[in-house]
Amino acid sequence: MEGGRASPPARHQEHTIATPRPRRRAARPLRALAALAAPALCAALAAGRPPAALPDASPAASLPDASPAASRTDASPAASRTAPPAVPRSVPPTAYRTVAYRGHTFTVPADWQVVDLTADPAACVRFDRHAVYLGTPGERQDCPARATGRTESLWVRPATAERAAVTENRTARLFHATASAEGIAVTAPYREDRAVVEEVLRSAGLPVSAARTETVSAARTATGDGGAQSVPALPADATVYRGRGFDTCAAPGQKAMDAWRASSPYGAVGVYIGGVNRACAQPDLTDTWVRTQYTSGWRLLPLYVGPQPSAGAGSCADDCAAITDPASQGRAAAEDAVVQAGALGLGPGSVLHNDLEQYTPGAALTARVLGYLEAWTLRLHELGYRSGAYGSVSSLVADLVGNAARTTLPDVIHFAHWNDEAVTTDAALPAGLWSRGQRVHQYAGDRAETYGGTRISVDRDQLDVGAGA
């Protein structure tokens, strides 16, 4: 769920922020603006004027089938530390600021908040907000249990790089870039304003015009930044588990996972492996992290947040990319999910869950959702993976059950009904469907829990996923 206070921009020795200067014409390119604005920017800094700050805003949370009488005894999760409000972008920005980091200077829209992760290491790197994140987050990111959606933003961090290069994942709407000098890696997602993100990258001298499009091949996997890489697959039981689990927006750091393994009642962890609407960055989610958790006894619940039933579905707050071409998007999502899963060591036979937020079923919308999910399932089967689907009992589950004879069902149903009952039965699920180790029940959400001295905001799950699901 989304919400919280906005962290004020902070400074440290590796970057500076220049005060924005309004441009004369909305359509003026960023590069020209950066050159024209330099004298005014310097004057503003000399005068000690701070960068423009964004007001606090907290989109209302959307609870999937939460009963008003449901017990809510846990402390509510802490507000996300980096929740600059979502800013709809229907016209080009009219003012810009420059942000310098490790010898590289980016010109960004003035309403993008700047978050210094060195000064605020607990800040959560989120891509559902217009923001610039500088540095590497700390061990304990203060992320919400769930955030969904995508907009234009920028994450710049130290990295070893021999040259400047740019790749783009068109399915996930995500640029990755590297540059030498002091060495940086850049992640730049977008929702609709791809051109704005291109100009931001170009303003730092990154070769956007020569960007390589990431392609999907069933014969290879890829690293998170688009490079080809062979990752040994984990055993087939990596996504098989019966018992309690949790999912959270960003994969916790290793100390947190060790503390929870020793003290919590959970044995499975849900991780968001990709998708155009994945809101949280995943600085800790690597193949090494996944293998370490598996070796420690954890089992995985991989979640992929692809196009949603509508821009405002569930917790999207009107900033999700929506399903518009069901068959094509479902197939592309499956192919991208396989690439991301393979890069983490989750090989064929693994269950990959497509996250579809709550919606109001209806003739046209139901047809889009079922068409998308069927294409997802069929393509995963072709690539040797098993299909999972997450959704509310009042929307996705109702549509799947009502159309069970007319569509290809996912292998595993991950149903959301926040009734605080840690079981995998529900009145919405007929006994004959998904009855042989094919269910996950998200039975509570947005709960802050502390084990081994480590606090994480989570959704709670009860899993019954067998090897033959």
Side-chain angles (χ1 to χ4, degrees):
M1 293 299 169
E2 304 163 9
R5 63 180 177 84
S7 300
R11 303 184 185 188
H12 70 95
Q13 60 185 4
E14 289 192 305
H15 76 275
T16 59
I17 306 168
T19 306
R21 175 185 184 271
R23 64 180 185 176
R24 295 180 181 178
R25 296 181 181 177
R28 178 174 295 173
L30 281 168
R31 286 168 292 175
L33 174 68
L36 292 173
L41 293 170
C42 294
L45 285 174
R49 293 197 299 270
L54 296 177
D56 291 341
S58 301
S62 173
L63 308 182
D65 295 284
S67 168
S71 171
R72 310 287 290 187
T73 57
D74 294 45
S76 60
S80 171
R81 300 170 63 89
T82 68
V87 180
R89 180 80 71 216
S90 57
V91 296
T94 58
Y96 292 86
R97 67 174 65 175
T98 59
V99 179
Y101 184 76
R102 293 175 65 88
H104 304 272
T105 301
F106 297 83
T107 304
V108 302
D111 59 6
W112 289 19
Q113 186 184 18
V114 179
V115 180
D116 179 353
L117 296 171
T118 299
D120 190 3
C124 181
V125 179
R126 293 175 60 170
F127 296 150
D128 59 342
R129 299 290 186 264
H130 291 305
V132 179
Y133 301 93
L134 301 173
T136 304
E139 168 74 18
R140 298 186 181 183
Q141 279 194 92
D142 188 7
C143 289
R146 172 183 297 271
T148 308
R150 175 67 59 79
T151 193
E152 297 72 39
S153 53
L154 191 72
W155 176 27
V156 189
R157 56 204 181 276
T160 301
E162 296 180 355
R163 62 187 181 89
V166 180
T167 62
E168 181 183 9
N169 182 329
R170 292 290 185 94
T171 301
R173 300 187 189 178
L174 202 66
F175 283 100
H176 293 280
T178 56
S180 52
E182 293 187 63
I184 58 169
V186 181
T187 302
Y190 58 92
R191 180 189 172 193
E192 296 176 346
D193 291 335
R194 179 174 178 268
V196 168
V197 171
E198 285 184 302
E199 287 295 334
V200 168
L201 296 175
R202 193 174 286 114
S203 73
L206 295 170
V208 178
S209 60
R212 178 174 59 84
T213 300
E214 296 178 22
T215 57
V216 177
S217 169
R220 73 167 181 87
T221 60
T223 63
D225 61 3
Q229 174 177 302
S230 177
V231 176
L234 290 170
D237 67 343
T239 61
V240 171
Y241 187 71
R242 288 181 170 87
R244 294 180 65 182
F246 73 93
D247 59 87
T248 188
C249 194
Q254 192 56 54
K255 291 181 181 179
M257 292 302 298
D258 290 344
W260 277 48
R261 183 62 187 159
S263 305
S264 81
Y266 302 116
V269 54
V271 290
Y272 290 87
I273 65 172
V276 67
N277 287 308
R278 183 180 72 174
C280 287
Q282 298 285 1
D284 290 305
L285 187 57
T286 65
D287 62 302
T288 299
W289 185 94
V290 169
R291 185 168 294 276
T292 299
Q293 308 328 311
Y294 177 84
T295 302
S296 298
W298 289 102
R299 293 300 176 259
L300 286 300
L301 181 66
L303 295 154
Y304 183 89
V305 195
Q308 293 299 303
S310 67
S315 56
C316 286
D318 290 324
D319 59 4
C320 280
I323 299 170
T324 55
D325 186 356
S328 176
Q329 288 174 300
R331 185 179 178 87
E335 292 174 346
D336 185 52
V338 165
V339 169
Q340 306 311 324
L344 296 172
L346 300 172
S350 300
V351 184
L352 307 183
H353 300 256
N354 197 307
D355 183 325
L356 288 161
E357 295 293 294
Q358 189 173 24
Y359 60 95
T360 302
L365 188 55
T366 292
R368 286 200 300 271
V369 169
L370 294 181
Y372 167 83
L373 192 56
E374 182 171 54
W376 157 270
T377 297
L378 292 174
R379 184 56 176 151
L380 282 184
H381 288 172
E382 290 173 356
L383 297 174
Y385 284 75
R386 293 186 286 164
S387 165
Y390 166 90
S392 165
V393 294
S394 66
S395 54
L396 180 64
V397 172
D399 272 344
L400 288 172
V401 171
N403 294 276
R406 295 182 291 276
T407 191
T408 302
L409 295 176
D411 302 304
V412 177
I413 189 68
H414 183 178
F415 63 97
H417 187 181
W418 291 3
N419 57 7
D420 283 320
E421 296 179 7
V423 297
T424 56
T425 56
D426 194 276
L429 294 172
L433 290 179
W434 304 292
S435 56
R436 298 188 301 274
Q438 297 168 276
R439 296 182 179 184
V440 180
H441 178 195
Q442 187 184 86
Y443 63 90
D446 280 342
R447 303 296 179 90
E449 301 186 39
T450 300
Y451 296 102
T454 301
R455 183 178 183 275
I456 306 175
S457 294
V458 303
D459 295 334
R460 296 172 177 170
D461 303 293
Q462 183 69 26
L463 293 83
D464 180 13
V465 180

